[in-house]
C-alpha cells in the first residue's frame, strides 16, 4: 500500500529539482540542507541563529538522544521540537549508523544490534522496531529506517549482505511505523556500496516496500567523489520521481552542488559546524583556513558582499585571533558563518532551478570557488 | 595636579551611590558590573548578547592581549573596541595580576616584572610604563595602574612592601599616562591586604598622586567575605567622594550587593560566565546547580518572571541535558543567563538608590536568595 505523499515538486531543471515538503512542524524547501543538532543542540549555535541562517529543518541523532536524555523523557517533555526550543521540523536518523561508529562491543544479528553505550557502558539493544519506537517518542517529523552501512572499500559479499539485511529491516521499519499519526514520515535507505547492480536491487526493493521518501545511504564513507556521484547516477533514477530523495551525511558545498544536479533534494552533514570549530570558513571564495598567517593583520571581512552579518562584519584578523586563542566565540562565529553559507547556497540553487538557470549557476559557483580567496593585502 | 573628572554622582542612599561615567566610547551607569572578555571575547557569548543583557562596559585583560594577538597589532586594527566589534567602553587591567597567576619564572623588582609567556615561553618584561603603553595601544577607555597584589593570608611585612611598591608604580603609571588624549582615564589601585592602617596609607597615597578613579585591589583573594567588607569600610571613605570606586575581581551577587551598600561603583568578575560553564545559574532564587537530578524532568524555566528570554523560556530539563552532555549551548545559555542576572541586579540597585529604597531592596533581595529555589515538582 502506497504511503501518502507530502512532497510537492515545484520545478525541475535538467535532473535538478526544487520542491517543498510539508511536515507537522512546518514546510521544508528543497533542495534542503539539514544542520546536525546531534544531541538536541547545534554545537556553538543558538537555535534562532540556525533559523535566521535559513535552515527550516534540522537533524537529531537517535543514538545520542536515546542514551541521553532518553526518548521516554523527551516524549514526556513534549517531543524534541518542544524540548529543544527549535520548534521547527526535525528529521532523526535510525541510530544504526552511530551504533557502528561510536559504541563498543556491538553485535549485529538479524533481529537487532546490541551494543554498549559510549556514555555509561550500559548494554542496549536497538532493533528496527525499537528504532521506530524511539523516533516516534522523539516526535521526529521524518524518521529513518534502520539500516546497516558498510564503510568503503568493502568486499562485494559484505556490501550485498548488508544491503539485503537493510531491505528486511526496511520492511520491518515500515510495519512498525504503521501506527504513526498522519503527517509523520518514514524514509527508506538505499544501500549497495559502490556496486551499481546492488544499488538497483536496493532501490527497487525499497520502492516495493513503499516509503514517504527515499534516502541514499552508504556514501561519503571513504570513497572518492567520482564514485559517490556515479552511485547517485545509478540510484536516483530508480527512485520515484514524485518523492523526496535524501543523500545522507553529504557533504562539501561541491558535493551538494553536484548531487543536486543529479536529482537529490535533501542533505545533512556536520561539516559546516565541525570545520568551523577547526578554524575553517566556507565562503563564496571556497574554504578559508583562518589559522593561515595571512589573516592575522587583515582588517577585511571574510566576504564583504555576504548577506550574513558575521561574514561581512567581523575582520579576518579578529576571527584569526579567536581561532588561535581557542576562544569559544571563534567556533560560534565560524559555525554560523558556515551554516549561513550552506543555506545561502541551497537558497541560490532553489532559485536557479526555478528560473531554469541551474547549469549556469553551477558553473559560476564552481568558477568562483576555483579562483579562490581574495588577494592578500 | 588634579585630573579631570568624568564621573557624575546622580544620587546617594546611605553609602550607596548611583552615577554615570562618561567615556570616549559611551556612557557607563553605576553601580556597574563589567563582564570579563579576557582575550578580546566573552566566553560563550556574542557581543550583542552582552549588550542586550544590559552591560555598557566590559573588561579586557592586558596580559592576554599583549601576548596574543599583541597590543601593536590591535592598535593597527583600530583599538580593542573596533577589533572585537564590541564598540562600547572597555576597561583594561594592568596585566600585573595575571603575570603573577598565569606566567612562569616571574621576577619582580622595583623596575618591572619579568616573566615567561604561558603561550610560547617567550621572556617578557612588564613595567608600569609598558603597561600604560600597552593599554594606550589597546585604546582602553579606563586603564589601570600596575600594582602588586598579595594573596591572603599574608605577613604584614609582605603586604606593606607590596602596597608601597604599588604606590610607587602608581606614580610612575600616572606620569606615563600624561600624554593620553583627553577623555581616557587612569585608575589607581589601593592595596594593603587585610590591614586597616595599610589600607589608609594606600588610599591617602593614591589620592596624593591623583587619578581619574580609584580601585580597591587585593580583595577576593582568599579572605572571608567579612574581611573583604571590613576592608571596603576602611578604604572607601578615604577615597574622594566625587570619583568612581571600583572593587576589582568581585564577586558573588551578595558580595556586590554588600559592596554597593558600602559605596562601591564598579565591579568585574569571571564568576557569571565561569560558573555558567560549570552548570550553575544565578537567579532571583539564588544559585541553581543544573547538574542536580531534580531538574532532569522539570519542564519549568529557571525563572518564569525573568525579563531575560533564555531564563524564562528554556526548560530546566533542557538546560540540565545540555550541561550533562557537555554541549556548548549549555555554557552559552547559562553564561548569558548569568550575565543578564548580574546586569538586572545592577539595574535594580541603581533604581533603588535613585528612589531612596536601597536598604529595602537589599533586604528583600537577600530574603529571596535565602528562601532558595522554587519547590521541586
Amino acid at each position: 500500500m502506497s504511503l501518502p505523499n507530502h512532497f510537492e515538486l515545484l520545478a525541475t531543471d535538467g535532473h535538478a529539482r526544487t520542491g517543498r515538503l510539508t511536515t507537522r512542524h512546518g514546510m521544508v524547501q528543497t533542495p534542503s540542507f539539514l544542520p546536525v543538532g546531534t544531541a538536541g543542540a547545534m554545537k556553538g549555535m543558538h537555535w534562532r541563529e540556525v533559523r535566521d541562517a535559513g535552515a527550516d529543518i534540522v537533524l537529531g541523532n537517535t543514538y545520542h538522544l536515546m542514551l541521553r536524555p532518553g526518548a521516554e523523557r523527551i516524549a514526556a517533555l513534549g517531543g524534541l521540537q518542544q524540548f529543544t526550543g527549535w520548534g521547527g521540523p526535525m528529521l532523526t536518523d535510525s541510530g544504526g549508523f552511530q551504533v557502528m561508529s561510536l559504541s563498543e562491543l556491538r553485535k549485529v544479528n538479524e533481529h537487532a544490534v546490541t551494543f554498549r553505550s559510549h556514555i555509561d557502558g550500559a548494554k542496549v539493544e536497538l532493533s528496527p522496531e525499537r528504532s521506530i519506537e524511539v523516533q516516534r517518542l522523539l516526535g521526529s517529523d521524518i524518521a529513518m529506517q534502520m539500516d546497516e552501512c558498510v564503510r568503503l572499500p568493502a568486499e562485494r559479499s559484505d556490501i550485498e549482505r548488508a544491503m539485503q539485511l537493510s531491505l528486511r529491516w526496511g520492511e520491518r521499519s515500515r510495519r512498525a511505523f504503521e501506527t504513526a499519526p498522519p503527517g509523520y514520515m518514514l524514509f527508506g535507505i538505499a544501500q549497495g556500496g559502490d556496486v551499481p547492480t546492488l544499488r538497483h536491487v536496493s532501490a527497487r526493493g525499497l520502492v516495493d516496500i513503499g516509503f514517504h521518501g527515499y534516502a541514499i545511504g552508504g556514501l561519503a564513507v571513504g570513497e572518492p567523489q567520482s564514485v559517490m556521484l556515479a552511485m547517485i547516477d545509478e540510484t536516483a533514477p530508480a527512485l520515484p520521481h514524485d518523492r523526496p530523495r535524501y543523500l545522507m551525511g553529504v557533504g562539501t558545498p561541491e558535493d551538494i552542488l553536484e548531487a543536486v544536479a543529479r536529482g537529490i533534494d535533501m542533505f545533512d552533514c556536520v561539516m559546516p559546524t565541525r570545520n568551523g570549530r577547526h578554524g575553517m570558513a566556507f565562503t563564496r571564495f571556497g574554504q578559508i583556513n583562518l589559522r593561515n598567517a595571512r589573516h592575522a593583520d587583515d582588517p577585511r571581512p571574510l566576504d564583504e558582499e555576504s548577506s550574513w552579518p558575521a561574514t561581512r562584519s567581523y575582520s579576518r584578523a579578529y576571527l584569526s585571533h579567536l581561532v588561535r586563542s581557542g576562544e569559544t566565540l571563534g567556533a560560534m562565529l565560524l559555525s554560523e558563518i558556515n551554516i549561513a553559507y550552506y543555506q545561502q547556497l541551497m537558497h541560490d540553487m532553489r532559485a536557479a532551478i526555478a528560473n531554469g538557470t541551474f547549469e549556469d549557476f553551477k558553473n559560476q559557483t564552481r568558477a568562483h570557488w576555483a579562483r579562490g580567496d581574495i588577494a592578500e593585502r
Side-chain angles (χ1 to χ4, degrees), chain A:
Chain A
M1 192 192 64
S2 160
L3 292 169
N5 192 6
H6 303 295
F7 183 61
E8 186 185 357
L9 211 48
L10 297 173
T12 60
D13 184 5
H15 293 298
R17 309 132 53 89
T18 181
R20 60 182 171 212
L21 187 60
T22 306
T23 80
R24 288 291 289 258
H25 289 88
M27 190 85 80
V28 176
Q29 296 182 286
T30 68
S32 172
F33 178 80
L34 287 72
V36 178
T38 306
M42 291 289 301
K43 295 199 191 305
M45 287 181 77
H46 291 283
W47 288 116
R48 63 176 173 275
E49 293 158 357
V50 179
R51 171 79 61 189
D52 288 350
D56 52 16
I57 179 169
V58 298
L59 180 144
N61 286 124
T62 289
Y63 171 81
H64 290 84
L65 292 164
M66 69 184 281
L67 297 181
R68 189 172 56 194
E72 282 74 9
R73 171 171 284 150
I74 289 178
L77 290 160
L80 202 44
Q81 298 86 351
Q82 185 178 329
F83 174 64
T84 60
W86 156 251
M90 286 191 121
L91 179 150
T92 47
D93 61 8
S94 71
F97 184 81
Q98 266 136 352
V99 168
M100 303 301 174
S101 56
L102 294 180
S103 70
E104 288 187 354
L105 295 173
R106 57 191 173 274
K107 236 172 53 194
V108 188
N109 63 29
E110 183 68 29
H111 172 63
V113 189
T114 313
F115 62 95
R116 288 202 182 275
S117 157
H118 75 291
I119 296 170
D120 61 4
K123 199 169 161 184
V124 184
E125 185 185 271
L126 189 66
S127 64
E129 290 79 10
R130 173 63 182 162
S131 171
I132 295 299
E133 184 185 16
V134 166
Q135 294 180 79
R136 293 288 312 118
L137 284 165
L138 296 175
S140 175
D141 293 282
I142 303 175
M144 302 301 299
Q145 72 147 97
M146 199 163 120
D147 61 343
E148 189 186 351
C149 175
V150 175
R151 197 159 287 278
L152 297 176
E155 294 297 319
R156 183 189 161 117
S157 59
D158 285 338
I159 295 170
E160 183 162 14
R161 185 200 50 74
M163 181 273 285
Q164 292 291 2
L165 178 66
S166 296
L167 277 181
R168 294 191 297 276
W169 284 1
E171 194 153 12
R172 285 167 55 189
S173 301
R174 160 83 202 261
R175 271 202 304 275
F177 197 78
E178 248 141 45
T179 56
Y184 290 95
M185 289 174 248
L186 175 66
F187 280 23
I189 305 177
Q191 289 289 350
D194 52 3
V195 186
T197 54
L198 298 182
R199 288 276 168 192
H200 302 156
V201 172
S202 181
R204 278 197 300 270
L206 290 175
V207 174
D208 286 345
I209 299 167
F211 291 92
H212 295 94
Y214 297 87
I216 303 180
L219 293 177
V221 289
E223 80 286 0
Q225 192 200 43
S226 59
V227 172
M228 181 182 81
L229 298 178
M231 289 306 107
I232 298 170
D233 285 333
E234 297 292 339
T235 313
L239 298 173
H241 192 256
D242 64 342
R243 298 279 174 164
R245 302 166 183 166
Y246 164 30
L247 181 59
M248 300 184 80
V250 173
T252 65
E254 195 203 9
D255 290 340
I256 292 174
L257 192 64
E258 292 298 337
V260 166
R262 287 161 172 82
I264 301 297
D265 307 304
M266 297 166 66
F267 303 86
D268 80 278
C269 195
V270 295
M271 195 175 282
T273 44
R274 179 177 291 168
N275 288 20
R277 290 197 300 280
H278 291 98
M280 305 295 288
F282 289 98
T283 74
R284 200 158 54 98
F285 313 114
Q287 213 174 150
I288 295 175
N289 184 352
L290 283 155
R291 290 187 180 276
N292 191 312
R294 64 166 279 192
H295 304 298
D297 294 293
D298 193 337
R300 297 173 299 175
L302 282 167
D303 179 359
E304 63 185 11
E305 289 177 20
S306 170
S307 62
W308 188 249
T311 312
R312 67 168 187 269
S313 58
Y314 285 103
S315 69
R316 290 164 179 246
Y318 185 54
L319 294 172
S320 152
H321 165 63
L322 295 176
V323 167
R324 284 156 184 266
S325 305
E327 284 288 336
T328 316
L329 185 59
M332 288 162 62
L333 289 174
L334 288 171
S335 294
E336 68 171 67
I337 283 168
N338 291 348
I339 290 289
Y341 180 73
Y342 268 66
Q343 295 300 337
Q344 184 69 47
L345 178 64
M346 305 316 287
H347 171 272
D348 293 348
M349 286 195 289
R350 291 193 295 266
I353 296 165
N355 291 334
T357 57
F358 181 74
E359 187 65 21
D360 283 355
F361 172 80
K362 177 166 166 268
N363 293 334
Q364 281 165 22
T365 301
R366 293 191 64 113
H368 238 301
W369 291 336
R371 274 204 297 277
D373 200 3
I374 53 176
E376 206 166 333
R377 271 169 71 103

